[in-house]
Amino acid sequence: MNSLYLTNQATVELDEVVFDDKLSNQINDFLDEYSHKEVLESYDLPVANKLFLYGRTGCGKTMTAKALATRLKKKIFIVNLSTIVSSRLGETAKNLAALFKNVEHKKAVLFFDEFDSLGSMRDYDNNDTSEMKRVVNTILQLIDAFPNDSILIGATNQIQLIDEALLRRFDLKLEFTTPPKPVLDAYYDKLLVKYPEIYRTIERIYDISFADAQNLIFTRVKKNIIAFEETKLKS
């Protein structure tokens, strides 16, 4: 079972994740609602606990899932969907049921990255269509029965591949786009401030993801450090 998910993850704080205004408001609304869960439920009002994150690779979906788990003081299970889907067909639904049951007992965050691995199953390209139907029906039933004291998060870079019946099960759908220039500038500033000023001179590139910006900083700062050290040796 442990090969199907990861639990020993580095803690991510919410203020480490950079959002644009729209996404930040959506995240804050979700957290406000969840923190007042008991009083809202006392009026028979549904409290969102199923989030779907979609958009470009490297724009913060996984970090957001980890940060939400940290903020809500919940353990996070990061599911290895490729392991589940590549298992013997007869085992896939069984593995999914076991995962959901485990989370139910722990009141945790269950994070499905690359959710399209499950969501696209209704293409039924496989010869054993009855098995695929059973898997999709299983995931639909498990989502419907998901406990309200746990959090379910799905994520994908290819939302167009996901079956509408699955998407409808999620309370909130949050789009992660390429960060605009002001947001990316704030991210550059946040990462660069930890280095001495002499190493911070880099050419900033825009219309890229947070992950790409981070890699750019690491590459340029390392070059600046090495160049400075080599200059010292020559002097």
Side-chain angles (χ1 to χ4, degrees), residues 118-146:
L118 287 177
S120 60
M121 282 186 175
R122 281 201 173 182
D123 289 342
Y124 301 142
D125 290 334
N126 193 288
N127 289 331
D128 191 350
T129 57
S130 62
E131 175 63 23
M132 290 297 97
K133 288 177 182 177
R134 281 195 294 273
V135 170
V136 172
N137 287 335
T138 295
I139 191 73
L140 290 172
Q141 292 167 12
L142 289 168
I143 293 175
D144 287 341
F146 195 71

Side-chain angles (χ1 to χ4, degrees), residues 209-220:
S209 69
F210 291 122
D212 290 337
Q214 183 184 61
N215 289 334
L216 173 68
I217 287 174
F218 289 163
T219 299
R220 300 290 169 81

